[in-house]
Amino acid sequence: KDLSTSASSVQAAQMKVIKYRELIARPGVARGLQSEREVLLNQFRQEVEDIKKDAVGITADADDDTLRLAVPTSNMSGVVRALVHIRQLSARLKNVLSLCDPLLVDLHGTQQLLADVAATVHDLKQQEKDTFQDWVRSTEEEMQDEDIMLETTGRIMHFNQSDGRLIVHFSDNLMMRLREVRQLRGMGMVIPNSILKPCNAARVFYKHAVILKQVAHFYNSIDHQILDSQYLMLEAYARELEGVIKQPVQQSSNKAGSGGNGDSEMVQWKNMEQLDEFIVRLQQAANKLTTENRKLRQKHDMFESKVLEMMDVDLLKQRV
């Protein structure tokens, strides 16, 4: 009786079945639990139907709310979420399959359910294959784009002339592809060399690109992070950071013909030695500004708190 009354969901029913698996498999016990096993069989039928509906709705859309709920892990693209969800559904089906046979195999309708489960597992495998192949085709086309590949061979950053924002020449899309390749390989997918080779070349610069993008974000949002009243106190640190960005190679290491014009083209992705040196200087300048800004913010908050406390002081009572 415990099997049917407590199993308000398929998952709860499965846990009960797994717990008492050996006991239920005994012929005498199985006959005594005939009605409960039939209830469980119907629950499994509904489970399979729900899985079919879920599978039809799976897309590689990263903004799909249903997919985000099914696979809440962050830092995954739409295609990786879709593949993970397909495998989750397959695992649920295989669990149903393992519990039906031999515990429910003698019931009428079990064979039809087993055939339905096997067919759905096959469909999910094909859906996984198709989803992966669609990703391969689109990624191969993207990797053939010269603009994408230049992002790992040309200059590392520049200032946008229209709004003055700092732009890092390592696209978010390329970073996403690198994450996808790592995650898909972790799932056992075989990545073609046409994708693997350029990704391996770009991966060398991934860590550098992450740091540069963090600094660029800080630089581009600096107006929102520094209080207007404290800007003059931090101006020297801000100008030091800007100076490193505008003159990425120190004068002492300039090569003949570099001109010393302060253009960030002087440092390119392919020059790892200069890139490493530039990032060290960039981080040092950014950390100085961040640290001093944090100190001033703390002082500002302290003074603000003191002023608010003073506003609550009744001077007339204090005189008395």
Side-chain angles (χ1 to χ4, degrees), residues 9 22 28 40 49 80 104 110 119 126 137 154 159 163 192 220 233 254 295:
S9 68
E22 294 182 2
L40 187 60
E49 291 302 315
V80 177
L104 308 178
T110 298
Q126 187 61 46
R137 281 192 292 271
F159 283 103
D163 57 12
N220 293 333
M233 305 177 198
N254 279 342
K295 289 179 181 178

Side-chain angles (χ1 to χ4, degrees), residues 74-92:
S74 61
N75 207 28
M76 277 189 182
S77 66
V79 67
V80 177
R81 286 180 189 273
L83 291 170
V84 169
H85 191 33
I86 290 172
R87 291 196 174 183
Q88 288 175 338
L89 298 180
S90 295
R92 286 166 59 187

